[in-house]
Amino acid sequence: MGKCDGRCTLVAICSLQLIAAVQRQVFDFLGYQWAPILANFLHIMAVIMGMFGTVQFRSRYLVLYAVWLVFWVGWNSFIICFYLEVGHLSQDRDFLMTFNTSLHRSWWMEHGPGCLVTPVLDSRIAPDDHHVITVSGCLLDYQYIEVLSSALQVLLALFGFVYACYVSKVFQDDEDSFDFIGGFDSYGYQPPQKTSHLQLQPLYTAG
């Protein structure tokens, strides 16, 4: 029963991770955030692998899933520091998220709750194929939305890591104690002794 509870909980955590990752992937696509898009794709693949390992009793898949979660926590911690501009990180360095392929920022910058976007006409600082806007009235700034999204990913990853280690340990213990049908038992295997019914008879020769 305990093993079932652990597996069911891990499947539930993986399902929440998958939903959160797909939702985040959609908004990153809308904002042309290529670095997060790549990281989200790898995360989705790792979560699917973790779910498969849980359902199919594959401890190795769970170990790989747990290792990936360590990198995933590090990546989301970097995103939190990036949007909060911790240390020398700055949001002006857009190439960190877009690989320097566009001037786009987070989709939430213009589409956050309550945000009012006003285009600035005849701006001299805008490139030929871009326009300058001003955003005001946001109930929650876009950087805090990104921080909350990353914090949720970190929280789910921590729970997933703990349960992945627990379920993987249970699977390994079961594999070590498993006895094959018709094989060795816990009392030791004694091969059957063959008895011969052939009796030796004396041989008499005429002298």
Side-chain angles (χ1 to χ4, degrees), residues 104-123:
H104 291 86
R105 291 193 177 184
S106 172
W107 182 83
W108 295 106
M109 182 179 182
E110 303 179 24
H111 303 87
C115 290
L116 178 62
V117 179
T118 304
V120 178
L121 302 177
D122 300 329
S123 177

Side-chain angles (χ1 to χ4, degrees), residues 19-20 41 50 65 82 85 104 140 143 152 171 181 202:
I19 295 173
F41 175 77
Y65 165 71
F82 175 79
E85 297 186 339
H104 291 86
L140 187 63
Q143 58 264 34
L152 176 62
F171 288 172
I181 299 176

Side-chain angles (χ1 to χ4, degrees), residues 6 9-17 43 47 50 54 62-63 65-70 72-73 152-168:
T9 304
L10 184 55
V11 170
I13 293 174
C14 289
S15 300
L16 293 176
Q17 284 184 311
H43 180 60
V47 171
T54 304
L62 291 180
V63 171
Y65 165 71
V67 171
W68 165 255
L69 290 182
V70 175
W72 185 242
V73 169
L152 176 62
Q153 296 289 341
V154 170
L155 182 63
L156 292 175
L158 292 177
F159 280 107
F161 179 83
V162 172
Y163 274 92
C165 294
Y166 166 72
V167 175
S168 176

Side-chain angles (χ1 to χ4, degrees), residues 35-188:
I37 287 172
L38 178 60
N40 293 335
F41 175 77
L42 295 176
H43 180 60
I44 291 172
M45 294 296 101
V47 171
I48 293 175
M49 180 176 62
M51 295 181 67
F52 178 80
T54 304
V55 174
Q56 296 295 325
F57 299 91
R58 304 292 181 87
S59 60
R60 293 182 180 179
Y61 288 6
L62 291 180
V63 171
L64 293 177
Y65 165 71
V67 171
W68 165 255
L69 290 182
V70 175
F71 291 98
W72 185 242
V73 169
W75 167 251
N76 283 277
S77 299
F78 166 77
I79 293 181
I80 293 175
C81 295
F82 175 79
Y83 281 106
L84 294 180
E85 297 186 339
V86 176
H88 297 287
L89 295 175
S90 174
Q91 297 180 40
D92 295 332
R93 301 177 180 178
D94 295 329
F95 63 89
L96 293 175
M97 295 298 172
T98 63
F99 294 142
N100 203 27
T101 58
S102 68
L103 298 178
H104 291 86
R105 291 193 177 184
S106 172
W107 182 83
W108 295 106
M109 182 179 182
E110 303 179 24
H111 303 87
C115 290
L116 178 62
V117 179
T118 304
V120 178
L121 302 177
D122 300 329
S123 177
R124 298 181 179 179
I125 63 175
D128 296 337
D129 56 344
H130 290 75
H131 61 277
V132 177
I133 61 173
T134 59
V135 182
S136 60
C138 295
L139 299 178
L140 187 63
D141 292 336
Y142 74 96
Q143 58 264 34
Y144 298 115
I145 296 178
E146 295 287 356
V147 167
L148 290 176
S149 177
S150 296
L152 176 62
Q153 296 289 341
V154 170
L155 182 63
L156 292 175
L158 292 177
F159 280 107
F161 179 83
V162 172
Y163 274 92
C165 294
Y166 166 72
V167 175
S168 176
K169 182 65 167 56
V170 172
F171 288 172
Q172 290 177 355
D173 291 343
D174 289 346
E175 291 175 359
D176 294 339
S177 60
F178 180 76
D179 294 332
F180 290 97
I181 299 176
F184 302 103
D185 56 22
S186 58
Y187 296 100

